[in-house]
Amino acid sequence: NTKVPEYSEEFPVLDYVDRDITGNQWIEVYKKLFGEDMVFDNYYSKNIDSEIHIQQTRPIGNYAYSHKGGVEPDAVHLNHSYDMFSVDGNNYMVPTEGIVFATRYCFETGDMLDVKGVTHFHALVSDDKTMYMGRNGHGMLSVGCGNRDSRGICYGPRQVNF
């Protein structure tokens, strides 16, 4: 039984994670739907699941989550580094949730997420850097990592509810 978050105006978008589909498989779905040339082919986009060293705890099994939606990271959390948002008690997207949302959003609208900004995930790679996704300068979905104290006026996390 999958618990569905109660609808709220603050978090009106609902997505779902099937634990049988990995983050790496979601990247392949994205490529199949939108083209091989729409994902920046780097180490992190090829190895999302194996690169996650630590990420925020998630419900056991398959689960639904709600969030604000939108093209850019949550306005209320912009300019927040991992070191700031990871200790505030809220839940934020982890890589698989971000790729699920990016895939669905592009499928429904034909547009990409993070046109101006970058979504920081509540996940760290082995060298203590924050994982993120964004649109690179060539218009491709890019998954990467950066310093955990990195901040920017267009960078931030996306809050989720379960």
Side-chain angles (χ1 to χ4, degrees):
N1 292 333
T2 301
K3 179 182 173 262
V4 176
E6 189 172 315
Y7 177 82
S8 80
E9 300 263 334
E10 186 178 10
F11 300 100
V13 179
L14 183 67
D15 276 311
Y16 180 80
V17 169
D18 180 328
R19 296 278 188 166
D20 291 332
I21 305 172
T22 67
N24 296 350
Q25 290 169 319
W26 272 108
I27 287 289
E28 292 306 313
V29 168
Y30 195 95
K31 287 179 180 179
K32 185 176 245 180
L33 288 171
F34 312 117
E36 290 281 329
D37 60 343
M38 291 306 295
V39 175
F40 184 60
D41 200 23
N42 66 10
Y43 184 77
Y44 296 101
S45 66
K46 290 180 179 177
N47 301 291
I48 291 173
D49 302 305
S50 62
E51 278 306 299
I52 298 169
H53 181 66
I54 297 170
Q55 77 174 10
Q56 193 174 40
T57 304
R58 288 297 179 258
I60 295 171
N62 301 334
Y63 63 94
Y65 61 101
S66 62
H67 54 94
K68 293 181 186 303
V71 175
E72 303 299 337
D74 299 345
V76 67
H77 301 298
L78 289 176
N79 205 23
H80 289 189
S81 69
Y82 177 88
D83 286 339
M84 294 169 71
F85 72 78
S86 66
V87 295
D88 71 7
N90 293 315
N91 292 304
Y92 295 99
M93 280 189 182
V94 295
T96 298
E97 294 162 356
I99 303 304
V100 166
F101 176 49
T103 303
R104 185 178 62 76
Y105 186 85
C106 192
F107 182 78
E108 289 177 352
T109 67
D111 296 324
M112 292 184 69
L113 295 178
D114 302 314
V115 174
K116 296 178 191 170
V118 170
T119 294
H120 286 182
F121 294 126
H122 202 305
L124 298 173
V125 297
S126 61
D127 61 357
D128 211 34
K129 292 185 177 179
T130 306
M131 289 189 80
Y132 65 78
M133 76 174 176
R135 183 175 126 175
N136 71 11
H138 302 286
M140 303 159 80
L141 174 67
S142 180
V143 178
C145 70
N147 293 332
R148 59 185 288 155
D149 62 353
S150 175
R151 297 170 46 172
I153 60 170
C154 297
Y155 302 168
R158 294 174 183 266
Q159 192 173 341
V160 298
N161 284 326
F162 305 105

